[in-house]
Amino acid sequence: MTGSNKLTKKDYLKTTLRSYYLQNGFNYSNYQGLGYALVMYPALRKIHVNDTDFAAALKDNTEFYNTNPQLLPFITSLHMVMAEEGTPEAEIRGIKMALMGPLAGIGDSLSQFAIAPLFSTIFASLAMEGVTIAPVLFLLVINIVLFSIRYTMGHYGHKVGTSIIDKLSEKMEVISNAANIIGVTVIAGLAATFVKMNVKIAFAAGEIQEGVNQSTVNIQALLDKVAPALLPMLYTGLMYYLIKKKGWNTYKLVLLTVVLGIGLSFLGILG
Amino acid sequence: MDITLIQALLIGLWTAACYSGMLWGIYTNRAIFLAFGVGVILGDIPTALQVGAIAELAFMGFGVGAGGTVPPNPIGPGIIGTLMAITNPSITPESALALSMPFAVAIQFLQTAIYTVRAGAPESANRALDNQNFKGFKFHANLTLVLFAVVGFFLGFLGAFSMDFLTQLVGYIPQQLLTGLNVAGGMLPAIGFAMILSVMVKKELIPFVILGYVLAAYLKLPVIGIALVASIFAVQQYNAANNPATAGANTEVGNDDWI
């Protein structure tokens, strides 16, 4: 490997921005493999002057890859630093592959379980209250946050190198534990608010007497007094049980819910 | 209301852009955003926001899990469901969600099909590289994105274009079944919440499930209020984990980052 061309700060920024292309070629044989090579394309072009070397370098980087796109710039920046220093191809590959799993785990828990649900719920509630611009704000805010993460990751990969990874995953566990507390609380609250189940049954209280105004007992009103949103919570609990303990997939859950919804409404129990 | 050809084309383009944006990880393929575009194009933003917001919450938990797994697609409620609710006033946002579930699942299969069809891509790309055909490599490395745009366009366009027919079909559904679908639509978000809880909940976190329930059901706090109360516990836990055993003993300014 000949580091004949020096990579500038601009090259690092460009590769960070190209991390958005990671899944442009997603497929079920090498997942993000093609995308990885595509993201690294200009950087590798600069490092490898002659076409044969360049083609070989691209080919080396099309093997299976699957990580979190938001954290990818950390890996590509590191890759560029090592390539520039003339680190042997096998060693770069080793580090690239070693980072794939941990960063996927950290990144997914950050973006899928913390950032996305948080903004999704905030802006969906705003939309429900009739704030017209909520969907646009959702897109704007979440992308500003995610871009900052990509940018910081690219920057750190360039500056600090591999040493940060251990520290990061250690810190990450603490951060993700804290984020999980907020997440679990909010989602339990959401289940109580947005899952709707109303018992329609109302029956006569006491014996029916001719000519006397009958007072009725409305079961839903009774339930609401004891424990509001009890049925939604129990149903969410049932779904949780089926996923966690019985390994049910989405189709089965959706099918069960639709059948139950129609059935219970048909019997006049829910409405 | 009727959908003009221009509107159908616009909805096609909107769906194409949002769906391919999913590969870029820019969160355009979310029910709330998809629905918003349909609302703007058809001139009924309030209905679109109602469907979009309900579906956004219901679909929040879908798509969590290992990378590369394909969840039911928000285009179902976000595009098809919103179209139904806007063109047919007798369809509530809840029944729009339930009625569009089959589309969400069908699109999920379609997406798996795209990834599977593209399984030959690495071989083609590598062959192009063997011949130093860099243009060919770029073509193969971008083709999934192009396919997403094409499929997205047809989903949006055909969905809008056939809405007359779909509305007619919905007209044949007996009222009792529609009521049932409305009930089911109210229950569907439970699946999404349970999905996301199933990856987050550990035994230590069960008290926070109860906390969330109490804050929402009894105290009727809005979402942001619940998040703020929870963040008190989160910050406390974070601090405790960062300086274990030093609580009280260490008076030195250890972590000034928080102030």
Side-chain angles (χ1 to χ4, degrees):
Chain A
M1 177 141 331
T2 46
S4 39
N5 267 321
K6 189 113 180 62
L7 295 171
T8 62
K9 244 185 141 172
K10 221 176 122 197
D11 294 317
Y12 282 91
L13 183 62
K14 195 179 190 177
T15 308
T16 293
L17 288 174
R18 287 179 71 91
S19 68
Y20 286 103
Y21 297 165
L22 181 66
Q23 310 198 93
N24 280 12
F26 195 95
N27 62 77
Y28 272 160
S29 67
N30 71 357
Y31 283 58
Q32 301 163 340
L34 285 176
Y36 190 91
L38 186 66
V39 171
M40 290 291 287
Y41 191 97
L44 291 174
R45 176 77 270 190
K46 206 166 175 188
I47 294 169
H48 303 280
V49 184
N50 88 54
D51 279 359
T52 323
D53 286 352
F54 178 46
L58 279 177
K59 206 175 160 181
D60 280 340
N61 284 297
T62 56
E63 65 181 327
F64 175 88
Y65 213 67
N66 195 22
T67 193
N68 179 276
Q70 324 291 349
L71 302 189
L72 180 78
F74 181 80
I75 303 172
T76 50
S77 285
L78 214 58
H79 187 152
M80 288 162 76
V81 172
M82 289 189 291
E84 234 185 336
E85 286 169 351
T87 313
E89 190 59 47
E91 202 173 310
I92 296 181
R93 183 178 175 272
I95 289 181
K96 173 186 158 189
M97 287 302 168
L99 287 178
M100 179 172 88
L103 286 192
I106 296 171
D108 284 355
S109 54
L110 193 70
S111 56
Q112 288 186 40
F113 308 138
I115 294 171
L118 179 70
F119 291 127
S120 168
T121 45
I122 290 175
F123 289 104
S125 334
L126 286 179
M128 274 184 183
E129 285 159 28
V131 180
T132 310
I133 205 75
V136 179
L137 287 178
F138 165 74
L139 198 76
L140 215 61
V141 172
I142 199 168
N143 275 304
I144 290 171
V145 171
L146 291 176
F147 177 74
S148 317
I149 292 175
R150 284 187 200 238
Y151 180 82
T152 315
M153 282 294 136
H155 183 73
Y156 267 119
H158 184 190
K159 285 266 170 262
V160 227
T162 39
S163 64
I164 196 187
I165 251 306
D166 295 333
K167 223 170 141 190
L168 192 71
S169 51
E170 188 184 295
K171 253 251 167 6
M172 211 45 225
E173 208 185 309
V174 179
I175 294 176
S176 86
N177 276 344
N180 270 357
I181 290 182
I182 304 182
V184 166
T185 315
V186 168
I187 289 160
L190 287 173
T193 316
F194 290 111
V195 179
K196 303 264 187 258
M197 291 171 90
N198 271 305
V199 179
K200 243 174 82 180
I201 308 173
F203 54 81
E207 261 177 82
I208 298 172
Q209 287 174 307
E210 201 65 44
V212 175
N213 211 348
Q214 195 63 45
S215 69
T216 56
V217 174
N218 180 335
I219 294 195
Q220 186 59 49
L222 206 69
L223 273 177
D224 284 345
K225 265 186 204 132
V226 184
L230 180 65
L231 285 182
M233 286 316 273
L234 289 178
Y235 195 70
T236 309
L238 174 69
M239 295 293 105
Y240 179 87
Y241 168 79
L242 292 174
I243 295 165
K244 201 87 179 181
K245 300 274 146 73
K246 301 274 162 194
W248 279 37
N249 59 23
T250 328
Y251 312 116
K252 277 169 111 177
L253 297 169
V254 168
L255 206 65
L256 174 74
T257 305
V258 171
V259 168
L260 271 179
I262 293 172
L264 291 174
S265 142
F266 203 76
L267 295 172
I269 298 172
L270 291 182
Chain B
M1 76 172 279
D2 284 328
I3 295 172
T4 65
L5 184 66
I6 304 279
Q7 284 173 326
L9 284 170
L10 284 175
I11 290 172
L13 291 174
W14 175 255
T15 315
C18 290
Y19 189 38
S20 38
M22 192 188 85
L23 287 175
W24 284 11
I26 54 174
Y27 285 83
T28 44
N29 196 60
R30 299 288 283 210
I32 190 172
F33 197 67
L34 289 160
F36 176 72
V38 175
V40 169
I41 293 166
L42 297 185
D44 184 356
I45 298 177
T47 309
L49 284 189
Q50 290 307 313
V51 184
I54 290 181
E56 177 66 34
L57 292 170
F59 272 62
M60 191 177 69
F62 295 163
V64 301
T69 49
V70 181
N73 200 297
I75 288 178
I79 299 288
I80 310 289
T82 308
L83 280 165
M84 286 175 170
I86 289 179
T87 52
N88 189 343
S90 68
I91 295 180
T92 63
E94 280 83 8
S95 24
L97 174 61
L99 279 168
S100 62
M101 262 340 268
F103 293 94
V105 173
I107 297 166
Q108 171 183 27
F109 285 128
L110 201 58
Q111 187 170 326
T112 308
I114 298 177
Y115 291 156
T116 311
V117 165
R118 294 279 293 134
E123 213 184 301
S124 320
N126 282 337
R127 211 176 309 124
L129 285 176
D130 287 339
N131 300 322
Q132 290 178 17
N133 172 8
F134 297 116
K135 277 212 174 92
F137 165 76
K138 280 189 179 170
F139 170 77
H140 291 296
N142 282 306
L143 195 58
T144 309
L145 186 80
V146 177
L147 286 179
F148 264 54
V150 172
V151 167
F153 176 80
F154 280 108
L155 286 174
F157 176 71
L158 291 178
F161 199 68
S162 62
M163 208 26 78
D164 268 351
F165 173 67
L166 277 179
T167 310
Q168 244 180 339
L169 277 188
V170 172
Y172 291 123
I173 302 177
Q175 188 52 46
Q176 212 168 15
L177 192 59
L178 272 182
T179 315
L181 282 169
N182 195 33
V183 171
M187 292 160 70
L188 280 174
I191 301 174
F193 298 136
M195 289 279 224
I196 198 161
L197 283 176
S198 73
V199 266
M200 294 175 100
V201 173
K202 285 170 265 172
K203 270 209 181 76
E204 313 90 82
L205 292 181
I206 289 174
F208 295 102
V209 174
I210 301 170
L211 177 68
Y213 166 65
V214 170
L215 292 177
Y218 288 92
L219 299 178
K220 311 271 181 229
L221 278 194
V223 174
I224 298 174
I226 298 176
L228 284 175
V229 174
S231 63
I232 297 172
F233 294 93
V235 169
Q236 202 181 23
Q237 168 136 351
Y238 180 87
N239 287 340
N242 267 352
N243 36 343
T246 56
N250 192 355
T251 47
E252 203 37 63
V253 271
N255 47 347
D256 43 12
D257 310 26
W258 280 102
I259 308 159

